[in-house]
Amino acid sequence: MTYDELKDQIKDAMRARDKVRLSILRQVHGELKDIEVNERRDVTDEDVTAMVKRLIKQTSETLEGSQKAGTDEERTQNLQRQVEILNDLLPAQLAGEELTALVEKTIAELGAETKRDMGKVMGALNAATGGNFDKAQAAKDAGARLS
């Protein structure tokens, strides 16, 4: 997602009067605006993705606390919806057969043979996909192919 796409989604949420979506999108926008002001640079697509991931983590932690407390059902549902909205903003994660093929290709390119090479394989996958892959599945696939 780009910064301009985020702004467009904010406008769409305003038109639809979707308060929950508008709230979380404005939160992302505000955090990105801080980058522009404090660091005096333009926001990149990587900044947008990193900020969305950070907010997913924060909102998920708040959601867990709300679920454990169990006192405010409306707040819990609101937080669940916010996490879903944030997840929709991220590009689709690489998983399944595509990920398995990439793991095999990476192992072949690196010449990895033992479990000691697992870090190199995971690092190369991270670099190739920008960290946008199912890490648990990748580790399982790589572990099965490395002795």
Side-chain angles (χ1 to χ4, degrees):
M1 161 169 281
T2 66
Y3 194 42
D4 291 331
E5 289 172 347
L6 176 68
K7 291 177 187 177
D8 290 340
Q9 286 200 14
I10 289 172
K11 291 175 191 173
D12 292 342
M14 290 170 84
R15 286 184 195 111
R17 298 179 188 203
D18 187 345
K19 291 180 182 179
V20 176
R21 186 173 187 79
L22 181 60
S23 170
I24 196 69
L25 291 174
R26 279 185 172 164
Q27 187 176 354
V28 173
H29 184 260
E31 296 284 339
L32 293 170
K33 201 71 168 155
D34 286 346
I35 290 174
E36 283 185 327
V37 172
N38 295 337
E39 298 180 19
R40 293 187 177 96
R41 64 178 177 86
D42 291 333
V43 174
T44 64
D45 294 346
E46 290 80 25
D47 290 330
V48 175
T49 302
M51 188 59 61
V52 169
K53 286 180 179 179
R54 194 177 110 218
L55 286 173
I56 287 173
K57 183 178 178 190
Q58 288 175 347
T59 308
S60 295
E61 289 171 356
T62 306
L63 174 62
E64 287 176 24
S66 179
Q67 288 172 335
K68 286 180 183 175
T71 54
D72 191 354
E73 187 63 34
E74 184 179 335
R75 181 171 188 262
T76 302
Q77 289 174 352
N78 203 8
L79 288 168
Q80 285 175 330
R81 176 114 193 282
Q82 287 179 353
V83 170
E84 290 169 8
I85 291 167
L86 288 169
N87 280 323
D88 289 342
L89 297 178
L90 292 176
Q93 274 198 335
L94 189 62
E97 293 177 12
E98 294 175 347
L99 180 59
T100 303
L102 183 61
V103 168
E104 290 174 2
K105 178 182 170 193
T106 304
I107 289 172
E109 287 175 357
L110 294 175
E113 296 177 0
T114 66
K115 298 248 186 216
R116 289 183 178 179
D117 297 325
M118 179 73 89
K120 293 178 189 174
V121 172
M122 294 301 284
L125 287 170
N126 200 27
T129 64
N132 197 24
F133 65 100
D134 184 350
K135 291 162 186 66
Q137 181 189 349
K140 182 180 171 187
D141 290 346
R145 285 165 179 68
L146 299 173
S147 57

